[in-house]
Amino acid sequence: MNAARSTFVAAIIEGPAAERVPIVRWLGVCFAVTLLFTLGGLLVGTTSMATSIHWLFAPNAQSALVLWQIRLPRTIGAWCVGALLGLAGAVAQGVFRNPLAEPYLLGTASGAALGVTIALLASGASVGALAWAVQLGLTGAAVVGAAIAIVLTLALARGVLQTSNLLLSGIVVGFLLSAITSLLLLAKPELWRTLQVFLLGTTAFLGWRATALLAVVLLVCALPATLLSRGLDALTLGEDTARSLGLSLPVLRLALLGIVALATAAVVGEVGVVGFVGLVAPHLARETLSVNHRHLLVASPLCGGALLQAADLVSRWIVRPAELPVGAVTACVGGAYLAYLLWRRTRDA
Amino acid sequence: MPERPAKLPASLPALACQGLVVGYGDRVVLDRVSVEIPGGCWTAIVGPNGSGKSTLLRALAGLLVPRAGTVRLQGRRLGEWRRRERAQRLAWLAQTPGATDLTAREVVALGRFAHGGWLAHRDVDDDAAIDRAMRATGSSRWAGRRVSTLSGGERQRVHLARVLAVEAAVLLLDEPTAHLDPPHQEDVVRLLRAQAQGCGVAVLSAIHDLSLALTADRLIVLAEDGLVGQGTVREALRADWLSQAFRRRIDVVDHLGAWLWRPAVDGVPDA
Amino acid sequence: MIGFRGAGMRPRLPLMIAAWCCLALALVLAQVAGAVVLRDDLGRSVNVPTPPRRIVSLLPSLTETVCALGACDHLVAVGRFDDWPPAVRGLPRVGDLDHVSIERIVALRPDLVLLSNSQRASNRLGELGIPAFAMETDRYQDIARSIRLIGALLGRPRRAAALIAHIQAQVRRVSAAAIAARHGASPTVYFEVDPTPYAAGPASYIGGLMTQLGVRNIVPANLGLFPLLNPEFVVRANPDIIVVSRIDARRLGDRPGWAGIRAVREHHLCVFPAAVRDTIMRPGPRVAEGLRALAACFARYAR
């Protein structure tokens, strides 16, 4: 495995002629892994593995429900979430030309959390408020909150001209909205546990409806992003050089940030704040394949999807039939991977 | 081969600016500067540190918004060009190009961005232009390597190839010979001259090394207080612009038919 | 004794014996020095004057217990959600589970602060020389245990024993009536504490209530007090009845696969108004009331 990987990397570094083959091989490996995880997603749950396998070949009413209405949409939905985060992470790191940029840097996570908190508070406040809160749903509240956060960030940075301003504004807005959330929670601390699991992210309730929505958003985000990949490549040469090549930076940034915003809002709305995937997936794609955004914007979602599927499996498996919040798993795995990257870099330096 | 931009009447400079005022904050770097860069000719900008060589190049490239004055590319104001059309005619090389993780060839291919745009796939013409540019700069050998793993000189040549791949009518180069050893400096100079004389391109480069600059066709001489003069090297020497620009610290001498500079015998050190 | 019934039958017996020894010793000491020294559930020795005159209680169930033991007059402040009995509603509020105003508590010069061992204030209060007694409150047997402990702290052990006996009798009556009224198999129940989905496990005090009513908790005991469940588990368990909060009741059918659960399909959902829900969710002296509400709901949906 390790040898294969080093020849892999060597091939990419050595010559352009060799580059084509690893891409095919890379995609092959990636699809195989994803398929494996999807199968795992069907088999891992509250039953024993043997029962799950038996169900595959001798279906009954309950197995149909559990396998096809619960486990399959959940694992595919998890893949979509990971892919969206991988895409958003790759785009964010490209736009901000910063390998530590991540999808939530526009304050979307805090905004979504605030939206959910307000919805939860409103639902407890009065019967009248209950009606709209239920109708809008926690998902809708999260998306609205994320959108408001992005608008605030852009307003504070006075547009998209200065990436450093944008980064700072994102942090400021994030802190501000988190503070408001905390203050609101003072009024109803019993919501803390609900919100905490929301903040850690959970794939537990991903059904076909949510999965379909996530898949549509993924398509809507991925197509324009890949079209803009040359712009992201140009940006790696520096902003002035990119402009001299004929790029309109404001238009490019606005379009790309729009993609990041849509992707993260959808994710936060459906599963909560799943951390680290958006940060780690682009690194993984760059490490194993290529930094060229034409490849990266495909590879990073594929990595992110597989990563989150794996995390979802772990979260269902370890303490079954109870489970861990999937965000806690990704934080562990992602943190370990980043620590490894850092360790390797400091060792090589 | 893509159509080269139409040849211009000899009277019309490829690139010109008039009354250009550029500054950062409350500091004015260029004050009412007017220069003309003719096609088919290599022009070098020389001057001491801080005299605004890079600023002039960036303003001419349209990367800085001047406080006053106009820049005209092929007779048309920069602002009147469509972004992509302008980028096809005007290429710019930064003083220290980024250490990107893209491969050398991918970087050079970005020079074709203005020709294809977002949706267009790279076509045969683009590939041919990329190959030509990489051959011309001698960077084909490391086409598949990541630019961040190249040495400073190799990196510089890759970026030079990226600029050449644009096949623009005007090349604006900020210190293209930096990071290069003398033989490679000579290669670059030969390349620039070939672009100018062979292809009719207007080449404008800031050059730190005076002896190299003196091999150019024309000079634009900047001093800290503004433009000293512009014209052929011979005119510049006759009018003693260089000595003025460098506060009489240098002399230019003729050595076996080549102009070389040396410290002035009676120069007074700066305080 | 209700304290030793329920499914979580692995109480730390040596610890309990030690606690009782301490208590006995403390009672002896109290006669001499006018103070009791008791070891609380964080393992700290807490020195409390008998009887304490200025009490701060930071948890609704503990506040209810103090009042049920007739010491309501000695309360000087309560937690912000402590709303029962009505007599405490006028008292100053000095904090909740996570946020406690140490300064305000200190200013009140209490000689006893009662709180849960998950509240972080206890160490800080201890450092400041204020007797802060932390109690575990999550398990069913903790209901009787905390009454007994508070009785000891207040110097009213007999009254505490009487209260426990009274509650036991009530619980037994409700429990017997519920089981007698039921024909056929006992229903399976999923009690959702919050929509994450956190469930009430058999060893929790809520699980204890369910055991009293003879219903079957779908959550196995080995998952702990309040486990975070894989929702698929609930679908497979296919409970007859679900206890759920009002806001979540409407959306249960939206969760993948949940529309087919018997309780959801037949709308066998137990949803309680906040005041009633409090009696179920608080492990305090009104436990029999909560039990009665649960029993009524379960009886409605029994087949």
Side-chain angles (χ1 to χ4, degrees):
Chain A
M1 181 64 211
N2 215 355
R5 193 177 159 272
S6 54
T7 51
F8 207 47
V9 173
I12 292 165
I13 290 176
E14 288 319 319
E19 210 178 344
R20 292 286 156 207
V21 184
I23 286 173
V24 173
R25 202 189 302 166
W26 191 95
L27 287 176
V29 170
C30 192
F31 279 126
V33 167
T34 305
L35 217 62
L36 197 72
F37 285 160
T38 310
L39 187 65
L42 277 179
L43 298 183
V44 173
T46 58
T47 57
S48 71
M49 199 74 104
T51 311
S52 302
I53 293 171
H54 177 73
W55 273 357
L56 276 182
F57 298 103
N60 58 38
Q62 188 177 56
S63 75
L65 180 67
V66 170
L67 292 183
W68 312 119
Q69 297 300 317
I70 297 178
R71 290 187 193 169
L72 190 63
R74 179 172 175 175
T75 196
I76 294 177
W79 185 88
C80 290
V81 167
L84 277 168
L85 288 174
L87 179 73
V91 170
Q93 292 180 5
V95 173
F96 290 99
R97 304 205 296 130
N98 185 335
L100 286 179
E102 49 121 18
Y104 302 123
L105 48 66
L106 295 174
T108 44
S110 315
L114 180 60
V116 168
T117 308
I118 290 173
L120 287 173
L121 281 175
S123 62
S126 74
V127 183
L130 179 78
W132 72 257
V134 171
Q135 257 171 12
L136 186 61
L138 297 186
T139 304
V143 173
V144 170
I148 289 173
I150 289 162
V151 170
L152 279 180
T153 302
L154 291 183
L156 193 63
R158 294 166 188 271
V160 290
L161 273 179
Q162 292 275 330
T163 45
S164 53
N165 281 358
L166 263 180
L167 276 174
L168 272 178
S169 308
I171 292 170
V172 169
V173 168
F175 272 120
L176 213 67
L177 298 184
S178 301
I180 297 175
T181 303
S182 304
L183 288 176
L184 287 178
L185 278 178
L186 284 181
K188 251 195 170 181
E190 67 270 27
L191 295 180
W192 238 130
R193 194 154 59 168
T194 314
L195 199 75
Q196 196 180 14
V197 172
F198 174 82
L199 285 175
L200 277 172
T202 171
T203 42
F205 288 123
L206 281 172
W208 281 122
R209 185 199 59 82
T211 300
L213 178 76
L214 288 167
V216 168
V217 174
L218 180 60
L219 272 182
V220 167
C221 290
L223 285 179
T226 40
L227 287 180
L228 297 176
S229 63
R230 285 186 85 186
L232 283 170
D233 277 348
L235 262 181
T236 65
L237 303 182
E239 296 188 358
D240 279 339
T241 302
R243 281 165 66 202
S244 79
L245 290 172
L247 244 89
S248 166
L249 290 193
V251 173
L252 179 69
R253 283 206 190 111
L254 214 56
L256 290 170
L257 290 182
I259 289 168
V260 172
L262 180 61
T264 47
V267 165
V268 172
E270 288 298 335
V271 302
V273 183
V274 177
F276 274 99
V277 175
L279 187 57
V280 168
H283 280 275
L284 198 60
R286 262 195 294 266
E287 284 286 310
T288 54
L289 183 66
S290 152
V291 295
N292 176 327
H293 282 89
R294 198 159 42 90
H295 300 153
L296 195 58
L297 292 184
V298 175
S300 181
L302 292 177
C303 284
L307 268 177
L308 201 62
Q309 276 190 315
D312 178 47
L313 282 181
V314 171
S315 82
R316 294 190 226 172
W317 175 259
I318 285 194
V319 291
R320 67 190 182 287
E323 67 176 57
L324 302 170
V326 74
V329 179
T330 58
C332 290
V333 176
Y337 179 71
L338 281 185
Y340 161 73
L341 275 187
L342 193 68
W343 171 76
R344 217 186 44 183
R345 201 153 84 180
T346 48
R347 187 197 54 186
D348 293 349
Chain B
M1 276 285 300
E3 283 297 308
R4 294 317 292 279
K7 286 267 161 58
L8 293 157
S11 59
L12 189 62
L15 188 67
C17 68
Q18 191 124 48
L20 203 60
V21 181
V22 183
Y24 307 102
D26 52 3
R27 197 168 77 91
V28 175
V29 180
L30 299 175
D31 191 8
R32 281 161 293 164
V33 169
S34 304
V35 295
E36 290 188 352
I37 295 99
C41 170
W42 169 31
T43 309
I45 308 179
V46 295
N49 293 337
S51 59
K53 300 189 292 287
S54 293
T55 304
L56 178 59
L57 278 169
R58 285 158 56 84
L60 290 173
L63 297 171
L64 289 175
V65 180
R67 292 181 184 171
T70 55
V71 179
R72 286 174 191 275
L73 171 65
Q74 298 178 345
R76 249 168 95 185
R77 281 164 173 252
L78 275 189
E80 291 167 4
W81 286 94
R82 306 249 309 267
R83 189 182 301 277
R84 288 254 301 283
E85 290 178 346
R86 191 173 90 191
Q88 287 171 14
R89 286 162 177 77
L90 187 73
W92 176 76
L93 176 63
Q95 191 165 6
T96 44
T100 170
D101 276 331
L102 294 173
T103 65
R105 195 183 161 83
E106 284 166 349
V107 168
V108 178
L110 284 172
R112 301 303 292 173
F113 180 80
H115 299 268
W118 299 112
L119 305 178
H121 234 64
R122 233 157 57 201
D123 60 13
V124 186
D125 288 343
D126 290 334
D127 280 334
I130 294 163
D131 287 336
R132 259 198 312 279
M134 295 194 81
R135 259 201 315 275
T137 53
S139 55
S140 313
R141 256 179 305 145
W142 46 81
R145 282 179 55 192
R146 294 187 177 194
V147 170
S148 53
T149 66
L150 299 176
S151 75
E154 291 167 337
R155 209 178 280 175
Q156 186 75 14
R157 282 149 75 186
V158 170
H159 283 286
L160 206 54
R162 191 250 304 154
V163 170
L164 292 187
V166 179
E167 305 196 314
V170 179
L171 299 185
L172 303 176
L173 312 167
D174 205 346
E175 302 285 357
T177 54
H179 313 295
L180 297 181
D181 55 19
H184 284 123
Q185 289 187 350
E186 174 58 21
D187 288 347
V188 169
V189 164
R190 208 172 286 170
L191 190 70
L192 299 185
R193 201 176 287 127
Q195 285 286 314
Q197 286 162 7
C199 310
V201 174
V203 181
L204 178 64
S205 61
I207 298 256
H208 216 76
D209 185 324
L210 263 187
S211 300
L212 272 185
L214 288 167
T215 63
D217 301 321
R218 288 166 56 83
L219 289 182
I220 290 174
V221 184
L222 290 176
E224 273 155 10
D225 50 0
L227 180 68
V228 180
Q230 56 177 319
T232 62
V233 172
R234 205 160 283 281
E235 285 168 346
L237 292 178
R238 200 176 303 134
D240 206 19
W241 290 337
L242 288 177
S243 187
Q244 282 175 40
F246 289 96
R247 294 181 306 283
R248 317 230 162 262
R249 296 288 307 279
I250 61 153
D251 283 335
V252 175
V253 295
D254 182 0
H255 176 72
L256 306 173
W259 299 111
L260 296 178
W261 75 274
R262 66 172 191 206
V265 183
D266 52 353
V268 184
D270 293 342
Chain C
M1 265 181 54
I2 70 172
F4 290 101
R5 227 179 281 155
M9 274 290 286
R10 279 164 293 158
R12 289 161 253 168
L13 212 57
L15 206 85
M16 301 287 272
I17 293 167
W20 281 109
C21 290
C22 281
L23 183 64
L25 182 71
L27 287 175
V28 173
L29 280 174
Q31 299 304 316
V32 182
V36 288
V37 179
L38 275 179
R39 192 169 284 275
D40 76 355
D41 288 343
L42 293 173
R44 303 169 314 159
S45 299
V46 181
N47 189 338
V48 183
T50 36
R53 292 288 167 207
R54 301 182 60 80
I55 305 171
V56 173
S57 165
L58 292 173
L59 209 64
S61 60
L62 302 180
T63 302
E64 290 187 21
T65 301
V66 170
C67 287
L69 293 174
C72 227
D73 297 343
H74 297 315
L75 283 173
V76 291
V78 291
R80 48 184 298 214
F81 298 103
D82 303 15
D83 54 1
W84 194 265
V88 305
R89 286 183 193 150
L91 291 172
R93 311 274 154 136
V94 291
D96 54 53
L97 210 58
D98 303 299
H99 307 274
V100 170
S101 170
I102 301 279
E103 203 176 304
R104 288 189 65 194
I105 293 175
V106 171
L108 288 165
R109 289 175 290 104
D111 46 19
L112 174 61
V113 178
L114 296 172
L115 68 178
S116 136
N117 62 355
S118 59
Q119 281 171 311
R120 279 173 36 221
S122 44
N123 278 335
R124 191 75 193 99
L125 288 170
E127 285 165 9
L128 292 168
I130 292 173
F133 197 88
M135 273 169 281
E136 204 169 320
T137 55
D138 284 342
R139 299 164 306 166
Y140 183 62
Q141 60 264 38
D142 290 332
I143 300 174
R145 199 169 150 271
S146 61
I147 294 175
R148 196 174 299 116
L149 277 171
I150 292 174
L153 288 168
L154 297 179
R156 303 178 180 201
R158 268 191 226 109
R159 198 150 172 185
L163 178 61
I164 293 171
H166 176 65
I167 294 173
Q168 276 176 337
Q170 278 185 303
V171 165
R172 219 174 288 127
R173 209 175 309 130
V174 177
S175 156
I179 292 168
R182 186 178 303 132
H183 352 267
S186 57
T188 52
V189 178
Y190 164 57
F191 194 113
E192 182 167 284
V193 177
D194 81 23
T196 312
Y198 275 108
S204 69
Y205 56 88
I206 294 169
L209 300 184
M210 291 158 73
T211 308
Q212 293 298 334
L213 295 176
V215 298
R216 285 175 292 159
N217 194 336
I218 64 161
V219 181
N222 61 6
L223 292 185
L225 298 176
F226 296 102
L228 174 60
L229 285 182
N230 183 338
E232 173 192 316
F233 179 82
V234 182
V235 173
R236 286 190 48 233
N238 196 16
D240 300 316
I241 298 169
I242 294 178
V243 187
V244 65
S245 76
R246 182 176 299 274
I247 177 170
D248 300 312
R250 300 232 196 135
R251 297 170 63 84
L252 282 184
D254 294 347
R255 299 179 187 175
W258 283 49
I261 296 176
R262 187 175 308 121
V264 178
R265 210 175 48 226
E266 296 171 7
H267 207 75
H268 286 179
L269 307 178
C270 290
V271 177
F272 298 103
V276 178
R277 201 170 158 85
D278 281 349
T279 63
I280 301 169
M281 303 293 273
R282 291 179 185 177
R286 291 191 293 161
V287 60
E289 270 180 60
L291 194 66
R292 210 170 287 131
L294 271 180
C297 184
F298 291 166
R300 202 158 59 237
Y301 298 137
R303 285 170 297 174

